[in-house]
């Protein structure tokens, strides 16, 4: 079985390679191809991924290439994780939002629309190649941000073989496993909402409901991403929050903290990636992989320890290190591999995925893309239908989905007026005049990609 990764020159390529290589034999994956159109980054991070896979599973056939058609030809599955425009574009579009007093964060904030303008056009080209050259049954797992809006737009364009994946829910479950010293496979979570805007209504450990035990556990507010919230807020909503909900429930704190910080998250990542890449250029990765890994651990550790630190003022305490041989706990590759595992088994199974609502969440359209616990049956996602959900949570979901629905239409039709209407609806913008200003500046920033917008 063949698995292709579009965006295989990203700095997180080793994580993908580790996850896939550790489970390749079990899942009958014998061919893995990482593709990227940035040859310099592919030769660094793609080669580091290749060396990672080689050490874990030397029998796995692993290639890197800049040829997208070759990469997806006869592929059974494809993962897309691209950053069209590079890190610098993220810096610029997040600053545009902040300069207008609006949160810029690329997945939940206003600048996500700017990123989606670029992402969708490139992903459409890859989806067309996949339709022509991959196997007819090929599934595409999209991790490109903003994953919710991008997944909605791809489905609206008719690419029904695409699914959105995100490691935030599984990451939260992983922290609960550590909190209670249990295996991650012993935990089941029921979640509903949108990508980066979702709520756990149930967390079971070995079949026992632990939702309120976790919410009331003071240690959880130190050792997990519940650290960003107040206990009374979670109790009032009868749910555990995705960490990105911090930007909605503590909007003014997030903006103030970012403006007071020395640099934004985007600026930090841009600097870290640039410095790391410059150092890795000087290393013979194939013959001195340990040195390359040492450099990577240093720089990526800075990135990890500062995750959400600028926005919340809270730094993670645990020192980060990438261990090739440590048992993999999933990450975003784990979401894709879970789907593959269930589909290849021929049996049904349960997982968290971004897929069509199909009546699961009240007041949303069946075609709306949601992030939700699903049963995978015969290769299709069947979302769990909700009962007794919090009305305020549902209202926030509905409002953001209205934005995503209209933003998707704007991108498909390349319509400036629809884009303005979409951002006006976004709860973190909530202003027609601000929306007009933002869209004007985003169009100028993305003029290479938006020449035919009207």
């Amino acid at each position: 079985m063949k698995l292709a990764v579009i965006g295989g020159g990203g700095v997180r390529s080793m994580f993908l390679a580790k996850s896939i290589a550790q489970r390749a034999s079990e899942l009958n994956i014998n061919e893995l191809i990482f593709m990227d159109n940035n040859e310099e980054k592919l030769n660094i991070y793609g080669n580091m991924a290749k060396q990672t896979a080689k050490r874990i599973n030397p029998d796995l056939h692993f290639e890197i290439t800049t040829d997208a058609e070759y990469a997806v030809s006869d592929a059974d599955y494809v993962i897309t994780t691209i950053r069209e425009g590079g890190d610098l574009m993220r810096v610029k579009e997040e600053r545009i939002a902040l300069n207008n007093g609006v949160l810029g964060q690329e997945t939940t904030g206003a600048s996500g629309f700017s990123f989606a303008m670029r992402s969708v056009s490139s992903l459409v080209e890859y989806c067309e190649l996949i339709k022509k050259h991959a196997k007819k049954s090929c599934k595409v797992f999209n991790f490109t941000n903003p994953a919710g809006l991008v997944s909605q737009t791809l489905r609206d364009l008719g690419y029904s073989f695409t699914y959105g994946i995100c490691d935030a829910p599984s990451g939260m479950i992983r922290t609960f496993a550590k909190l209670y010293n249990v295996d991650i496979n012993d935990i089941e979570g029921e979640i509903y909402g949108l990508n980066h805007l979702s709520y756990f209504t149930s967390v079971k450990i070995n079949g026992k409901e632990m939702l309120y035990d976790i919410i009331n556990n003071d240690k959880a507010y130190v050792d997990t991403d519940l650290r960003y919230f107040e206990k009374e807020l979670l109790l009032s909503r009868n749910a555990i929050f995705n960490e990105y909900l911090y930007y909605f429930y503590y909007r003014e704190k997030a903006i103030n903290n970012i403006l007071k910080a020395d640099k934004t998250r985007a600026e930090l990542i841009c600097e870290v990636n640039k410095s790391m890449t410059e150092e890795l250029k000087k290393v013979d990765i194939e013959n001195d992989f340990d040195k390359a890994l040492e450099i990577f651990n240093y720089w990526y550790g800075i990135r990890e320890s500062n995750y959400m630190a600028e926005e919340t003022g809270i730094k993670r305490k645990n020192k980060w290190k990438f261990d090739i041989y440590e048992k993999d706990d999933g990450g975003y590759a784990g979401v894709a591999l879970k789907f593959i595992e269930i589909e290849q088994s021929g049996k049904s199974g349960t997982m968290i995925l971004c897929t069509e609502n199909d009546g699961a969440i009240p007041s949303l359209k069946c075609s709306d893309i949601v992030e939700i616990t699903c049963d995978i049956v015969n290769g299709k996602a069947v979302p769990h239908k909700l009962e007794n959900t919090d009305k305020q949570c549902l209202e926030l979901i509905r409002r953001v989905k209205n934005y995503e629905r209209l933003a998707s239409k704007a991108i498909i039709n390349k319509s400036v007026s629809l884009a303005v209407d979409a951002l006006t609806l976004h709860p973190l913008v909530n202003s027609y005049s601000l929306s007009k200003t933002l869209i004007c500046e985003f169009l100028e920033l993305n003029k290479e990609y938006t020449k035919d917008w009207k």
Side-chain angles (χ1 to χ4, degrees), residues 180-425:
Y180 289 92
N181 195 28
V182 298
D183 190 280
I184 192 170
N185 295 313
D186 295 330
I187 301 184
E188 298 175 5
E190 282 288 335
I191 196 171
Y192 76 100
L194 310 177
N195 177 244
H196 288 175
L197 198 160
S198 53
Y199 303 85
F200 279 100
T201 56
S202 171
V203 180
K204 291 180 180 178
I205 299 179
N206 292 315
K208 180 183 177 182
E209 183 58 67
M210 295 291 288
L211 182 79
Y212 291 103
D213 191 288
I214 295 169
I215 292 175
N216 285 298
N217 188 339
D218 290 339
K219 204 166 182 290
Y221 297 86
V222 177
D223 295 339
T224 79
D225 285 339
L226 266 62
R227 60 174 65 89
Y228 306 129
F229 305 100
E230 294 162 87
K231 186 184 297 185
E232 54 265 39
L233 173 60
L234 304 188
L235 287 170
S236 72
R237 300 295 188 273
N238 297 302
I240 290 172
F241 288 19
N242 180 302
E243 69 259 37
Y244 285 86
L245 280 165
Y246 171 82
Y247 298 111
F248 290 93
Y249 288 90
Y250 300 87
R251 177 179 61 177
E252 78 291 346
K253 289 184 178 181
I255 293 175
N256 288 337
N257 286 336
I258 293 169
L259 292 175
K260 286 189 296 184
D262 292 334
K263 58 194 70 158
T264 65
R265 174 71 175 168
E267 288 162 352
L268 172 71
I269 288 177
C270 190
E271 289 178 13
V272 165
N273 289 352
K274 183 178 179 181
S275 297
M276 180 166 60
T277 301
E278 287 302 313
E279 282 197 43
L280 288 170
K281 278 183 189 178
K282 304 169 186 175
V283 179
D284 183 341
I285 291 168
E286 185 173 353
N287 295 308
D288 198 1
F289 181 65
D290 288 340
K291 178 63 177 176
L293 194 57
E294 179 185 332
I295 293 169
F296 181 85
N297 273 319
Y298 172 76
W299 287 107
Y300 203 89
I302 294 173
R303 173 174 167 160
E304 279 297 296
S305 66
N306 285 281
Y307 176 72
M308 285 186 74
E310 292 83 3
E311 300 93 331
T312 65
I314 302 171
K315 274 195 173 187
R316 290 181 170 180
K317 295 180 180 179
N318 297 332
K319 187 176 181 180
W320 184 88
K321 184 180 179 182
F322 179 67
D323 186 340
I324 290 175
Y325 302 106
E326 184 180 25
K327 182 181 177 183
D328 187 58
D329 55 13
Y332 71 91
V335 183
L337 293 174
K338 181 69 173 177
F339 189 105
I340 293 171
E341 175 191 357
I342 296 170
E343 185 173 44
Q344 292 301 312
S345 73
K347 302 175 183 178
S348 62
T350 303
M351 65 179 295
I352 298 167
L353 194 65
C354 291
T355 189
E356 288 184 340
N357 180 48
D358 196 24
I361 299 179
S363 76
L364 296 189
K365 295 182 179 180
C366 286
S367 59
D368 285 339
I369 299 301
V370 297
E371 183 171 84
I372 197 164
T373 304
C374 303
D375 292 327
I376 307 302
V377 183
N378 297 323
K380 294 185 178 180
V382 182
H384 290 186
K385 297 198 183 301
L386 301 185
E387 296 179 2
N388 302 321
T389 47
D390 183 88
K391 290 182 179 179
Q392 291 193 52
C393 296
L394 285 174
E395 176 61 17
L396 181 57
I397 291 167
R398 186 187 66 79
R399 290 180 65 193
V400 175
K401 179 45 70 175
N402 277 339
Y403 153 72
E404 288 187 349
R405 200 182 292 133
L406 195 52
S408 169
K409 191 175 180 180
I411 291 170
I412 290 170
N413 291 283
K414 300 177 180 179
S415 168
V416 176
S417 62
L418 287 176
V420 171
D421 288 344
L423 267 190
T424 301
L425 284 176

Side-chain angles (χ1 to χ4, degrees), residues 8-11 36 38-47 87 277:
V11 298
D36 206 290
N38 186 321
E39 191 167 8
E40 180 181 79
K41 289 184 68 178
L42 184 67
N43 286 333
I44 295 172
Y45 300 106
N47 265 321
D87 294 330
T277 301

Side-chain angles (χ1 to χ4, degrees), residues 102-113:
V102 175
L103 184 76
Q105 209 279 337
E106 74 167 7
T107 58
T108 59
S111 68
F113 184 85

Side-chain angles (χ1 to χ4, degrees), residues 7-38:
V11 298
R12 302 211 286 179
S13 291
M14 281 198 300
F15 307 157
L16 270 171
K18 174 185 174 180
S19 299
I20 297 166
Q22 285 192 1
R23 300 198 62 195
S25 299
E26 171 196 352
L27 298 176
N28 298 313
I29 299 169
N30 55 21
E31 188 176 359
L32 182 59
I33 296 189
F34 277 32
M35 176 270 161
D36 206 290
N37 55 16
N38 186 321

